[in-house]
Amino acid sequence: MAALLFINIKQLVGVHKQNTVLRGSQLAELPILENAFLLVEDGVIIDFGAMYELEINVPQLPKNVIDCQGQFILPCWCDSHTHLVFATTREEEFIDKINGVSYAEIAAKGGGILNSANKLNRATEDELFNSAWQRLQEVSKLGTGAIEIKSGYGLTVEGEIKMLRVIKRLKEKSNLIIKSTFLAAHTYPLAYIENHQGYIDLIINEMLPIIGNEKLADYIDVFCEEGFFSPQEMETICKAGMHYGLKPKLHVNQLNSLGGIKYATQLNAVSVDHLEVIAGDDINYLAQSNTIGTLLPTAAFFLRMPYQPARQLINTNCAVALASDYNPGSSPSGNMNFVVALSCIQLKMLPEEAINASTINGACAMEVQNEVGSIAIGKKANLIFTKPIPSLAYIPYSFGTNLIDRVMINGEYI
Ligand code: NIG
Ligand code: FE
């Protein structure tokens, strides 16, 4: 692929020297190069620097030189928590919620996840693939360059495997980095409401061997919540998944604090996600672990729940990432630009913190920090080119405005 040289970049954002997760006060450290150049070749970043160094660094200018006057370049968003594969949207529940019914009440009436599972089990693999593919195109145009996608709307052997095969096909066809998570333990299907052990046995004895055999997932997830899976059940399921090489990446503390964070950190989970409700020793367990706390502010926004205590987590030296939770029930949007804005507006994260949490820390929460998540030589040229903007803070400040001029994935504009 011919070399591309970008010059006069107003700010080149996220030129981190290291690919390690940022915790506590490090999260506000977002290295930036002003008036910069960037050289891309064969889909990767070859060089970058200040404009005054251009002559020395790039003595022979390539044919393609692009003037980026006034533009910022950022690494693409790394969205480490989504449920992007689903059969249909659920705007009827959205109306129920407007009329005062709670998320938990909707779930208890057979709506929510069970509603999505019914529809998913009736959809064909191709139908699911096609709609998920559309959503993937949509989020990549919004700047997402790496994404995690979960199963969890099957809740049957066939349904869960079908979802994971769809994710595998997305991985094969897409230029985005995609990680796959097995989430059969999303809720108890109706047939197992009185027989929890029966469903756990189904996950362990029927689903996991197929997933292991076909290498259908990278991670295992459990929705650890009152009325869903207990911390002990989560531990049993995670240990079975770990036997097949799946590391835990878990839904905890969305509605209640049941001790899921303690169990998850003891399992060395890659991440614990949601964290709307933090109590007791939760925060200390997280701060003292290698587990990343992934905040999903658009889920709190959409469900009108208290926002994640980001400041408290950061001030206690936790490693924090941000993700969209794109799903039909609690966050029907995969727009990471809005996630970043909302995190600044409602979670009181600084723009630098929100951008780091959505790039390098999101990459760490998918273990792809050596490939994406920052501007570094050798990393994939997965880049967001903004329209001309006055400052970095303008990005979250002007929420709802599309400031993206172009997105590049593997060195190609999309
Ligand atoms: O992360 N809370 C559990 N799972 C999803 C929502 C699933 C749904 O409502 O369909 C979440 O918010
Ligand atoms: Fe989720």
Side-chain angles (χ1 to χ4, degrees):
M1 229 187 284
L4 290 172
L5 176 67
F6 300 96
I7 59 166
N8 298 324
I9 303 159
K10 186 166 175 181
Q11 289 194 12
L12 188 57
V13 178
V15 292
H16 286 286
K17 292 220 161 63
Q18 280 168 347
N19 294 332
T20 44
V21 73
L22 304 171
R23 52 174 66 244
S25 59
Q26 295 171 332
L27 196 63
E29 293 166 18
L30 179 64
I32 287 171
L33 261 181
E34 301 213 15
N35 197 18
F37 75 87
L38 175 72
L39 186 62
V40 168
E41 195 171 359
D42 292 330
V44 297
I45 297 168
I46 297 291
D47 200 2
F48 62 89
M51 276 306 284
Y52 65 79
E53 302 168 316
L54 179 63
E55 252 183 61
I56 307 170
N57 286 39
V58 192
Q60 193 86 51
L61 292 190
K63 225 167 68 199
N64 298 311
V65 180
I66 299 111
D67 192 342
C68 297
Q69 202 84 48
Q71 292 185 288
F72 286 47
I73 297 181
L74 287 83
C76 276
W77 307 127
C78 297
D79 190 354
S80 61
H81 181 136
T82 83
H83 309 248
L84 180 112
V85 177
F86 54 86
T88 57
T89 53
R90 303 209 310 252
E91 53 280 20
E92 65 287 352
E93 292 175 9
F94 172 63
I95 302 298
D96 287 345
K97 280 181 221 134
I98 292 173
N99 286 322
V101 191
S102 76
Y103 184 65
E105 284 163 348
I106 289 171
K109 281 196 306 189
I113 298 165
L114 288 177
N115 181 1
S116 279
N118 262 328
K119 289 172 178 153
L120 186 128
N121 279 293
R122 280 189 251 124
T124 67
E125 191 183 303
D126 280 344
E127 284 165 353
L128 293 171
F129 175 81
N130 291 335
S131 63
W133 179 255
Q134 291 308 319
R135 288 178 208 117
L136 200 58
Q137 301 315 297
E138 172 205 324
V139 299
S140 64
K141 286 183 192 134
L142 293 166
T144 296
I147 191 166
E148 180 262 12
I149 309 175
K150 300 174 194 299
S151 70
Y153 290 130
L155 312 179
T156 57
V157 178
E158 303 71 31
E160 287 295 311
I161 300 301
K162 182 167 65 177
M163 283 189 86
L164 292 171
R165 288 195 181 128
V166 167
I167 302 171
K168 190 174 182 182
R169 281 172 63 187
L170 294 171
K171 281 190 189 192
E172 287 161 2
K173 184 168 173 190
S174 173
N175 282 335
L176 271 65
I177 291 185
I178 298 177
K179 289 281 178 161
S180 170
T181 301
F182 173 52
L183 173 60
H186 202 182
T187 192
Y188 284 102
L190 284 181
Y192 290 92
I193 288 287
E194 303 297 333
N195 177 15
H196 285 192
Q197 193 54 48
Y199 187 56
I200 293 172
D201 289 344
L202 190 76
I203 292 175
I204 295 176
N205 301 328
E206 305 288 331
M207 299 184 195
L208 274 172
I210 303 174
I211 292 162
N213 210 2
E214 290 186 36
K215 298 206 185 336
L216 285 174
D218 303 296
Y219 300 108
I220 184 147
D221 192 350
V222 177
F223 187 30
C224 178
E225 197 55 63
E226 225 168 85
F228 295 81
F229 292 79
S230 70
Q232 291 78 8
E233 291 170 338
M234 175 177 86
E235 185 182 46
T236 305
I237 295 164
C238 285
K239 284 193 170 157
M242 287 159 81
H243 176 76
Y244 291 92
L246 311 184
K247 294 187 194 173
K249 233 173 119 57
L250 302 161
H251 280 77
V252 300
N253 293 53
Q254 181 183 13
L255 311 169
N256 297 283
S257 168
L258 304 180
I261 292 182
K262 176 179 159 188
Y263 279 76
T265 54
Q266 285 167 353
L267 288 163
N268 211 9
V270 173
S271 68
V272 282
D273 304 19
H274 266 296
L275 312 187
E276 281 86 335
V277 183
I278 294 281
D281 278 337
D282 287 341
I283 206 158
N284 295 326
Y285 280 111
L286 188 56
Q288 281 151 30
S289 73
N290 290 322
T291 302
I292 297 172
T294 299
L295 314 182
L296 310 171
T298 49
F301 168 76
F302 189 76
L303 299 180
R304 298 185 195 88
M305 290 186 43
Y307 285 99
Q308 294 81 2
R311 284 265 56 91
Q312 201 190 340
L313 291 162
I314 295 166
N315 294 343
T316 319
N317 208 37
C318 294
V320 164
L322 288 165
S324 75
D325 198 15
Y326 193 0
N327 77 77
S330 66
S331 181
S333 160
N335 187 344
M336 283 297 289
N337 306 283
F338 183 59
V339 171
V340 168
L342 193 60
S343 305
C344 296
I345 298 163
Q346 293 289 357
L347 276 59
K348 300 200 172 126
M349 291 175 75
L350 295 167
E352 292 81 1
E353 291 176 327
I355 291 169
N356 274 329
S358 303
T359 53
I360 187 70
N361 276 13
C364 290
M366 294 183 272
E367 300 177 292
V368 292
Q369 67 273 23
N370 293 327
E371 293 169 81
V372 289
S374 66
I375 306 285
I377 291 173
K379 279 200 176 181
K380 282 181 187 289
N382 284 11
L383 307 166
I384 295 173
F385 295 76
T386 72
K387 295 175 183 162
I389 51 171
S391 66
L392 191 74
Y394 188 78
I395 295 174
Y397 162 84
S398 59
F399 79 95
T401 306
N402 182 9
L403 298 174
I404 296 180
D405 179 42
R406 291 178 122 178
V407 176
M408 174 172 272
I409 302 286
N410 290 348
E412 287 182 40
Y413 292 119
I414 54 163

